[in-house]
Amino acid sequence: WRRWLFATNHKDIGTMYLWFSFTMFISGGILALGIRTELFMPGLQVFEPQFFNQLTSMHGLIMVFGAIMPAFVGFANWMIPLQIGAPDMAFARMNNFSFWLLPPAALLLVASFFVPGGAIAAGWTVYAPLTLQMGMGMDMGIFALHIMGASSIMGSINIITTVLNMRAPGMTLMKMPMFVWTWLITAYLLIAVMPVLAGAITMTLTDRHFGTSFFNAAGGGDPVMYQHIFWFFG
Protein backbone atom coordinates (compact mmCIF):
# COMPACT_ATOMS: atom_id res chain seq x y z
CA TRP A 1 0.00 0.00 0.00
CA ARG A 2 2.95 2.35 0.56
CA ARG A 3 3.81 2.11 -3.14
CA TRP A 4 0.41 3.61 -4.01
CA LEU A 5 -0.17 5.98 -1.09
CA PHE A 6 3.25 7.62 -1.37
CA ALA A 7 3.56 7.17 -5.16
CA THR A 8 5.84 9.62 -6.96
CA ASN A 9 6.24 7.55 -10.14
CA HIS A 10 4.26 9.15 -12.95
CA LYS A 11 3.02 5.77 -14.23
CA ASP A 12 1.72 4.70 -10.82
CA ILE A 13 -0.06 8.03 -10.37
CA GLY A 14 -1.46 7.82 -13.90
CA THR A 15 -2.78 4.35 -13.12
CA MET A 16 -4.44 5.62 -9.92
CA TYR A 17 -6.09 8.44 -11.86
CA LEU A 18 -7.46 5.91 -14.34
CA TRP A 19 -8.80 3.61 -11.60
CA PHE A 20 -10.37 6.59 -9.82
CA SER A 21 -11.91 7.72 -13.10
CA PHE A 22 -13.29 4.23 -13.74
CA THR A 23 -14.83 4.11 -10.25
CA MET A 24 -16.48 7.49 -10.76
CA PHE A 25 -17.62 6.42 -14.24
CA ILE A 26 -19.43 3.46 -12.68
CA SER A 27 -20.93 5.71 -9.96
CA GLY A 28 -22.13 8.28 -12.50
CA GLY A 29 -23.40 5.42 -14.66
CA ILE A 30 -25.53 4.06 -11.81
CA LEU A 31 -27.09 7.54 -11.45
CA ALA A 32 -27.72 7.55 -15.21
CA LEU A 33 -29.49 4.19 -14.90
CA GLY A 34 -31.70 5.80 -12.24
CA ILE A 35 -32.51 8.65 -14.64
CA ARG A 36 -33.39 6.25 -17.46
CA THR A 37 -35.49 4.09 -15.11
CA GLU A 38 -37.60 7.14 -14.26
CA LEU A 39 -37.88 8.20 -17.91
CA PHE A 40 -38.75 4.69 -19.14
CA MET A 41 -42.46 5.61 -19.16
CA PRO A 42 -44.38 8.90 -18.93
CA GLY A 43 -45.43 10.10 -15.48
CA LEU A 44 -43.86 9.47 -12.07
CA GLN A 45 -42.46 5.92 -11.74
CA VAL A 46 -39.81 5.48 -9.11
CA PHE A 47 -38.32 8.73 -7.83
CA GLU A 48 -39.64 11.96 -6.36
CA PRO A 49 -39.07 14.95 -8.71
CA GLN A 50 -36.56 16.55 -6.30
CA PHE A 51 -34.53 13.32 -6.10
CA PHE A 52 -34.67 13.03 -9.89
CA ASN A 53 -33.10 16.49 -10.09
CA GLN A 54 -30.40 15.31 -7.69
CA LEU A 55 -29.72 12.32 -9.96
CA THR A 56 -29.30 14.48 -13.08
CA SER A 57 -27.15 17.09 -11.30
CA MET A 58 -24.85 14.62 -9.58
CA HIS A 59 -24.58 12.48 -12.72
CA GLY A 60 -23.25 15.55 -14.54
CA LEU A 61 -20.83 16.62 -11.80
CA ILE A 62 -19.49 13.10 -11.22
CA MET A 63 -19.03 12.39 -14.93
CA VAL A 64 -17.35 15.73 -15.76
CA PHE A 65 -15.17 16.25 -12.68
CA GLY A 66 -14.83 12.63 -11.55
CA ALA A 67 -14.68 10.57 -14.74
CA ILE A 68 -13.72 12.61 -17.83
CA MET A 69 -11.15 15.04 -16.38
CA PRO A 70 -9.24 12.52 -14.20
CA ALA A 71 -9.19 10.05 -17.12
CA PHE A 72 -7.41 12.56 -19.34
CA VAL A 73 -5.08 13.59 -16.51
CA GLY A 74 -4.28 9.91 -16.00
CA PHE A 75 -3.32 9.55 -19.66
CA ALA A 76 -1.31 12.79 -19.38
CA ASN A 77 0.65 11.46 -16.41
CA TRP A 78 1.31 8.20 -18.16
CA MET A 79 2.16 9.49 -21.63
CA ILE A 80 3.73 12.96 -21.43
CA PRO A 81 7.06 11.97 -19.78
CA LEU A 82 7.35 8.98 -22.15
CA GLN A 83 6.56 11.04 -25.24
CA ILE A 84 9.02 13.86 -24.51
CA GLY A 85 11.76 11.68 -23.02
CA ALA A 86 11.51 13.01 -19.47
CA PRO A 87 12.44 10.78 -16.51
CA ASP A 88 9.24 11.72 -14.62
CA MET A 89 6.97 14.71 -14.03
CA ALA A 90 8.65 17.91 -12.83
CA PHE A 91 7.05 17.94 -9.38
CA ALA A 92 6.65 14.28 -8.45
CA ARG A 93 5.36 14.80 -4.90
CA MET A 94 2.93 17.52 -5.94
CA ASN A 95 1.73 15.02 -8.54
CA ASN A 96 0.92 12.63 -5.70
CA PHE A 97 -0.92 15.40 -3.82
CA SER A 98 -2.89 16.37 -6.95
CA PHE A 99 -4.24 12.84 -7.12
CA TRP A 100 -4.98 12.34 -3.42
CA LEU A 101 -7.12 15.49 -3.34
CA LEU A 102 -9.60 13.72 -5.61
CA PRO A 103 -10.87 10.79 -3.48
CA PRO A 104 -11.91 13.06 -0.53
CA ALA A 105 -13.67 15.37 -3.01
CA ALA A 106 -15.48 12.40 -4.56
CA LEU A 107 -16.50 11.15 -1.11
CA LEU A 108 -17.88 14.62 -0.29
CA LEU A 109 -19.91 14.60 -3.50
CA VAL A 110 -21.33 11.12 -3.03
CA ALA A 111 -21.96 11.63 0.72
CA SER A 112 -24.08 14.70 -0.05
CA PHE A 113 -26.89 12.31 -1.06
CA PHE A 114 -27.18 11.27 2.59
CA VAL A 115 -27.44 14.65 4.31
CA PRO A 116 -30.73 16.48 5.10
CA GLY A 117 -32.06 18.06 1.89
CA GLY A 118 -30.05 15.68 -0.27
CA ALA A 119 -27.45 16.36 -2.95
CA ILE A 120 -27.15 19.23 -5.43
CA ALA A 121 -30.40 19.45 -7.43
CA ALA A 122 -29.63 22.63 -9.40
CA GLY A 123 -28.10 20.94 -12.45
CA TRP A 124 -24.36 20.24 -12.88
CA THR A 125 -24.00 23.90 -13.88
CA VAL A 126 -25.07 24.81 -10.31
CA TYR A 127 -27.14 27.79 -11.45
CA ALA A 128 -28.34 30.54 -9.15
CA PRO A 129 -30.99 31.18 -7.83
CA LEU A 130 -31.67 27.44 -7.34
CA THR A 131 -28.34 27.09 -5.52
CA LEU A 132 -29.47 29.59 -2.88
CA GLN A 133 -32.39 27.33 -1.92
CA MET A 134 -30.61 23.99 -1.37
CA GLY A 135 -29.56 22.25 1.86
CA MET A 136 -26.07 21.45 3.14
CA GLY A 137 -25.51 19.04 0.24
CA MET A 138 -24.93 22.17 -1.84
CA ASP A 139 -22.12 23.29 0.47
CA MET A 140 -20.51 19.86 0.30
CA GLY A 141 -20.70 20.05 -3.50
CA ILE A 142 -19.10 23.50 -3.54
CA PHE A 143 -16.27 22.30 -1.28
CA ALA A 144 -15.76 19.22 -3.48
CA LEU A 145 -15.51 21.42 -6.60
CA HIS A 146 -12.99 23.67 -4.83
CA ILE A 147 -10.80 20.68 -4.00
CA MET A 148 -11.03 19.26 -7.53
CA GLY A 149 -10.16 22.69 -8.94
CA ALA A 150 -7.05 22.87 -6.74
CA SER A 151 -6.06 19.41 -8.00
CA SER A 152 -6.51 20.54 -11.63
CA ILE A 153 -4.43 23.69 -11.14
CA MET A 154 -1.54 21.81 -9.53
CA GLY A 155 -1.66 19.14 -12.22
CA SER A 156 -1.57 21.83 -14.90
CA ILE A 157 1.43 23.60 -13.35
CA ASN A 158 3.17 20.23 -13.28
CA ILE A 159 2.42 19.50 -16.94
CA ILE A 160 3.53 22.93 -18.19
CA THR A 161 6.78 22.78 -16.21
CA THR A 162 7.49 19.23 -17.38
CA VAL A 163 6.87 20.02 -21.05
CA LEU A 164 8.82 23.29 -21.11
CA ASN A 165 11.80 22.20 -19.00
CA MET A 166 12.28 18.44 -19.25
CA ARG A 167 12.22 17.51 -22.94
CA ALA A 168 15.01 15.21 -24.12
CA PRO A 169 17.80 16.81 -26.21
CA GLY A 170 16.56 17.30 -29.77
CA MET A 171 12.88 17.11 -28.75
CA THR A 172 11.94 20.62 -29.87
CA LEU A 173 8.43 21.95 -29.30
CA MET A 174 7.66 21.39 -32.98
CA LYS A 175 8.70 17.74 -32.75
CA MET A 176 6.46 16.99 -29.76
CA PRO A 177 3.57 14.57 -30.36
CA MET A 178 0.14 16.15 -30.80
CA PHE A 179 -1.02 14.68 -27.47
CA VAL A 180 1.63 16.65 -25.56
CA TRP A 181 0.65 19.83 -27.42
CA THR A 182 -3.03 19.38 -26.61
CA TRP A 183 -2.16 18.95 -22.94
CA LEU A 184 0.19 21.94 -22.89
CA ILE A 185 -2.65 24.12 -24.23
CA THR A 186 -5.24 22.49 -21.96
CA ALA A 187 -3.03 23.06 -18.91
CA TYR A 188 -2.78 26.81 -19.66
CA LEU A 189 -6.56 26.95 -20.17
CA LEU A 190 -7.19 25.13 -16.88
CA ILE A 191 -4.97 27.56 -14.95
CA ALA A 192 -6.90 30.41 -16.57
CA VAL A 193 -10.42 29.15 -15.88
CA MET A 194 -10.39 27.04 -12.69
CA PRO A 195 -10.03 30.12 -10.43
CA VAL A 196 -13.03 31.64 -12.27
CA LEU A 197 -15.19 28.63 -11.36
CA ALA A 198 -13.83 28.80 -7.81
CA GLY A 199 -14.82 32.47 -7.68
CA ALA A 200 -18.34 31.77 -8.95
CA ILE A 201 -19.03 29.00 -6.42
CA THR A 202 -17.42 31.03 -3.60
CA MET A 203 -19.83 33.88 -4.44
CA THR A 204 -22.63 31.30 -4.29
CA LEU A 205 -21.35 30.21 -0.88
CA THR A 206 -21.25 33.76 0.51
CA ASP A 207 -24.74 34.39 -0.91
CA ARG A 208 -25.93 31.33 0.99
CA HIS A 209 -24.30 31.98 4.35
CA PHE A 210 -22.78 35.44 4.68
CA GLY A 211 -25.55 37.76 3.52
CA THR A 212 -24.06 38.85 0.18
CA SER A 213 -26.30 39.33 -2.88
CA PHE A 214 -24.13 38.52 -5.88
CA PHE A 215 -26.84 36.42 -7.53
CA ASN A 216 -29.87 37.42 -5.43
CA ALA A 217 -32.06 39.93 -7.28
CA ALA A 218 -33.83 40.89 -4.04
CA GLY A 219 -30.56 42.35 -2.75
CA GLY A 220 -29.57 44.04 -6.02
CA GLY A 221 -27.69 41.05 -7.42
CA ASP A 222 -28.08 39.35 -10.80
CA PRO A 223 -28.68 35.61 -11.32
CA VAL A 224 -27.59 35.99 -14.97
CA MET A 225 -24.14 37.12 -13.78
CA TYR A 226 -23.63 33.59 -12.46
CA GLN A 227 -24.20 32.26 -15.97
CA HIS A 228 -21.66 34.67 -17.46
CA ILE A 229 -19.00 33.67 -14.92
CA PHE A 230 -19.75 29.96 -15.16
CA TRP A 231 -19.67 29.85 -18.95
CA PHE A 232 -16.44 31.82 -19.06
CA PHE A 233 -15.10 28.84 -17.15
CA GLY A 234 -17.08 26.41 -19.34
Side-chain angles (χ1 to χ4, degrees):
W1 60 271
R2 285 168 188 273
R3 169 184 169 181
W4 299 102
L5 184 62
F6 303 129
T8 48
N9 181 307
H10 70 98
K11 295 176 185 170
D12 284 352
I13 294 170
T15 301
M16 289 197 297
Y17 267 109
L18 291 168
W19 273 112
F20 172 81
S21 165
F22 180 69
T23 311
M24 288 285 97
F25 181 74
I26 298 298
S27 313
I30 290 168
L31 300 185
L33 289 175
I35 296 169
R36 301 320 307 183
T37 307
E38 179 56 60
L39 294 177
F40 187 64
M41 287 162 61
L44 292 176
Q45 317 301 322
V46 203
F47 303 122
E48 290 296 310
Q50 176 73 359
F51 184 70
F52 182 80
N53 290 347
Q54 292 175 34
L55 286 181
T56 55
S57 309
M58 293 297 287
H59 164 75
L61 284 171
I62 286 173
M63 285 303 203
V64 171
F65 294 100
I68 301 169
M69 287 169 69
F72 278 95
V73 178
F75 286 124
N77 262 304
W78 248 101
M79 301 307 299
I80 288 174
L82 301 180
Q83 290 190 342
I84 64 175
D88 204 306
M89 296 293 281
F91 305 112
R93 284 173 295 186
M94 184 168 83
N95 206 13
N96 175 283
F97 188 49
S98 298
F99 171 76
W100 284 111
L101 282 175
L102 292 179
L107 283 174
L108 266 176
L109 265 184
V110 176
S112 66
F113 272 115
F114 304 101
V115 299
I120 294 177
W124 82 270
T125 50
V126 206
Y127 267 12
L130 280 174
T131 45
L132 310 180
Q133 303 159 14
M134 320 241 76
M136 65 185 285
M138 184 73 221
D139 302 315
M140 294 168 76
I142 286 173
F143 191 35
L145 285 178
H146 272 134
I147 298 171
M148 286 170 165
S151 167
S152 278
I153 289 170
M154 287 195 294
S156 300
I157 290 169
N158 217 341
I159 285 167
I160 291 171
T161 310
T162 306
V163 170
L164 295 187
N165 287 339
M166 297 179 67
R167 300 191 307 280
M171 173 63 73
T172 62
L173 286 176
M174 285 306 170
K175 285 181 183 167
M176 288 197 314
M178 190 65 78
F179 179 78
V180 184
W181 263 109
T182 56
W183 252 112
L184 183 63
I185 293 161
T186 303
Y188 274 112
L189 289 174
L190 278 172
I191 290 175
V193 302
M194 282 325 263
V196 177
L197 176 68
I201 58 180
T202 305
M203 289 152 88
T204 304
L205 196 68
T206 59
D207 272 13
R208 287 170 51 80
H209 297 294
F210 301 109
T212 57
S213 295
F214 290 113
F215 310 127
N216 185 359
D222 182 3
V224 179
M225 179 169 73
Y226 179 88
Q227 300 175 27
H228 289 313
I229 302 171
F230 181 88
W231 289 114
F232 179 84
F233 152 79

